[in-house]
């Protein structure tokens, strides 16, 4: 059976791996011309650790994990007001079994694990109920299943379920991520800062010459083009001028070629499946970075969906929905537990393990 997966970040390659293991002929289409660079640090927790262990990539992921020594928070003048060498805001306690890894490092591991056919620089233009797909390149194929693993602004979700405005729930914050030169000399360290409605974080890990920059701001819904990078950079420029080291951080932003910007939002849908189509990860149930569980949801969702499709039967999608619904609900709730501070470690671990993998 032929399956088309849209999206080659986290959920897409993981799903391709498990579908291949279950005997499917898998093609992955990705709008970007090549694997995307950059991105934030992401976490693999609870049931997701079981998934990557069963994929045979756990040790490689451990080799590439971040090795932070700690974190600090500074005021508007750069004076340290808090320090920890036991945990970081992004990755939690250092004595936890959880793994923090940069998004692009995890992406490479998952791509290496899959032998599916990858079509970069292309996207789905039309999607028929009979599984016939027309690509933007003009290619036309028919598939038994089409899976959207294409993120918050999922093209597959739009084509099969309707406009994203029906499903996105904005959480009041916008965030950008990009790479800059490590002009602060951070050494396996995170530094966090705030200035009114704006703030961010800086962190440097394996490469001492680079640091990842997170800059963001609180706001009601903004009407912007999520594919217009110049417009997005202007929004950060306008809203983040008062943060610590603003001049150098904004100068580096305009030079960055891996800039990413989006709303902190959740996706909520009554169903993630329809006809021959299913959604995985952020496309169907984005929990937002505020939950810290987006990557784990994508990895577990890919595993469960492939397992149910492999088991066969007309109710495969129903079984996928039934198994994943409680897990998604528990992890989406983390973003709301303690606004501005983050969920408690106990809540995070409870949500991360709130599904049993067979």
């Amino acid at each position: 059976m032929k399956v088309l997966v849209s999206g080659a970040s986290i959920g897409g390659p993981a799903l391709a791996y498990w579908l291949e293991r279950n005997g499917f002929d898998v093609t992955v289409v990705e709008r970007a011309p090549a694997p995307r660079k950059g991105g934030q640090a992401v976490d693999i927790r609870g049931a997701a650790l079981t998934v990557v262990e069963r994929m045979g990539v756990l040790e490689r992921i451990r080799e590439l994990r971040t090795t932070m020594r700690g974190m600090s928070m500074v005021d508007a003048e750069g004076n340290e007001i808090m320090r920890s060498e036991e945990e970081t805001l992004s990755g939690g306690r250092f004595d936890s079994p959880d793994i923090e890894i940069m998004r692009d490092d995890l992406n490479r591991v998952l791509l290496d694990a899959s032998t599916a056919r990858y079509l970069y620089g292309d996207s789905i233009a039309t999607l028929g109920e009979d599984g016939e797909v027309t690509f933007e390149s003009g290619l036309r194929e028919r598939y038994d299943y089409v899976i959207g693993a294409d993120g918050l602004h999922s093209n597959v979700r739009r084509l099969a379920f309707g406009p994203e405005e029906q499903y996105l729930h904005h959480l009041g914050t916008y965030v950008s991520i990009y790479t800059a030169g490590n002009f602060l000399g951070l050494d396996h360290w995170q530094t966090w800062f705030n200035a009114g409605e704006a703030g961010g974080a800086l962190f440097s890990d394996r490469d001492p010459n680079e640091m990842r920059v997170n800059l963001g701001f609180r706001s009601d819904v903004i009407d912007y083009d999520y594919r217009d990078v110049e417009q997005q950079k202007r929004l950060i420029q306008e809203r983040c001028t008062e943060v610590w080291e603003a001049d150098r951080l904004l100068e580096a932003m305009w030079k960055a070629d891996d800039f990413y910007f989006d709303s902190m939002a959740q996706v909520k849908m009554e169903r993630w499946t329809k006809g021959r189509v299913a959604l995985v990860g952020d496309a169907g149930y984005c929990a937002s970075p505020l939950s810290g569980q987006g990557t784990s949801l994508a990895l577990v969702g890919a595993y469960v969906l492939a397992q149910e499709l492999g088991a066969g039967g007309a109710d495969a999608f129903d079984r996928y929905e039934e198994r994943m619904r409680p897990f998604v609900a528990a992890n989406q709730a983390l973003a709301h537990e303690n606004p501005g501070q983050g969920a408690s470690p106990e809540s995070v671990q409870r949500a991360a393990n709130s599904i049993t993998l067979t």
Side-chain angles (χ1 to χ4, degrees):
M1 299 182 74
K2 293 175 62 177
V3 181
L4 176 65
V5 178
S6 177
S9 181
I10 303 301
L15 179 62
Y17 172 88
W18 289 113
L19 287 172
E20 289 177 295
R21 288 283 299 271
N22 283 287
F24 291 89
D25 177 6
V26 184
T27 299
V28 182
V29 62
E30 167 59 52
R31 183 182 296 276
R36 296 177 188 267
K37 300 186 298 180
Q40 62 187 357
V42 298
D43 299 296
I44 305 174
R45 295 183 168 118
L49 287 168
T50 301
V51 171
V52 295
E53 182 178 30
R54 292 179 182 179
M55 290 180 73
V57 298
L58 178 57
E59 290 310 310
R60 180 58 178 155
I61 287 172
R62 282 180 172 148
E63 291 172 3
L64 294 172
R65 70 188 303 165
T66 62
T67 52
M68 295 292 173
R69 297 184 298 109
M71 58 157 286
S72 56
M73 300 189 73
V74 300
D75 63 19
E77 286 73 44
N79 300 308
E80 187 173 280
I81 56 177
M82 175 270 190
R83 162 181 289 254
S84 173
E85 296 183 1
E86 298 178 350
E87 63 182 340
T88 63
L89 286 180
S90 68
R93 291 188 57 86
F94 296 148
D95 58 3
S96 164
D98 303 340
I99 296 176
E100 182 182 65
I101 182 172
M102 301 309 296
R103 189 213 65 85
D104 43 2
D105 285 340
L106 178 58
N107 177 236
R108 283 194 296 270
V109 172
L110 297 175
L111 288 173
D112 288 345
S114 166
T115 59
R117 179 189 184 201
Y118 282 81
L119 300 177
Y120 284 97
D122 209 347
S123 185
I124 300 172
T126 66
L127 177 58
E129 292 183 2
D130 61 352
E132 184 171 83
V133 172
T134 302
F135 294 85
E136 291 184 354
S137 63
L139 177 69
R140 188 185 299 267
E141 295 281 349
R142 180 173 279 109
Y143 298 91
D144 296 286
Y145 297 106
V146 177
I147 314 297
D150 44 356
L152 183 64
H153 301 291
S154 169
N155 184 40
V156 172
R157 186 185 62 228
R158 177 182 61 82
L159 291 170
F161 296 89
E164 67 177 37
E165 290 79 11
Q166 300 178 36
Y167 309 112
L168 263 61
H169 297 261
H170 179 57
L171 299 181
T173 302
Y174 289 85
V175 65
S176 69
I177 304 163
Y178 57 92
T179 301
N182 187 11
F183 55 78
L184 292 172
L186 298 180
D187 179 14
H188 299 267
W189 196 262
Q190 295 183 3
T191 300
W192 295 74
F193 50 91
N194 285 293
E197 296 299 299
L202 313 173
F203 45 97
S204 183
D205 192 38
R206 288 196 307 276
D207 187 344
N209 298 311
E210 290 185 351
M211 64 180 179
R212 295 286 170 92
V213 180
N214 289 36
L215 282 182
F217 55 87
R218 290 187 288 273
S219 172
D220 293 333
V221 175
I222 298 172
D223 183 16
Y224 73 99
D225 183 348
Y226 66 87
R227 292 184 184 153
D228 187 340
V229 173
E230 292 297 305
Q231 180 191 29
Q232 296 161 22
K233 287 185 176 182
R234 287 195 298 271
L235 287 170
I236 291 294
Q237 178 80 47
E238 293 164 2
R239 305 287 187 118
C240 297
T241 56
E242 301 300 318
V243 302
W244 175 62
E245 289 285 353
D247 290 346
R248 290 199 285 181
L249 292 174
L250 293 173
E251 180 183 2
M253 176 191 72
W254 285 104
K255 297 176 182 177
D257 62 1
D258 61 350
F259 179 86
Y260 169 87
F261 174 90
D262 216 331
S263 162
M264 292 280 198
Q266 293 190 334
V267 173
K268 297 189 177 183
M269 304 178 69
E270 292 184 2
R271 283 194 68 83
W272 309 312
T273 58
K274 182 180 181 180
R276 298 170 181 263
V277 177
L279 303 173
V280 166
D282 283 359
Y285 34 84
C286 178
S288 86
L290 294 174
S291 74
Q293 283 293 91
T295 296
S296 292
L297 280 171
L299 290 168
V300 173
Y303 176 86
V304 172
L305 177 57
Q307 189 176 52
E308 296 303 342
L309 288 176
D315 62 343
F317 280 170
D318 291 336
R319 298 194 306 268
Y320 163 62
E321 298 244 8
E322 182 179 358
R323 291 178 64 186
M324 286 296 295
R325 285 281 167 186
F327 186 58
V328 168
N331 284 286
Q332 286 190 334
L334 296 174
H336 305 280
E337 179 178 294
N338 190 14
Q341 301 296 322
S344 68
E346 294 77 17
S347 294
V348 171
Q349 289 304 319
R350 186 164 55 248
N353 290 291
S354 61
I355 189 171
T356 300
L357 299 181
T358 58

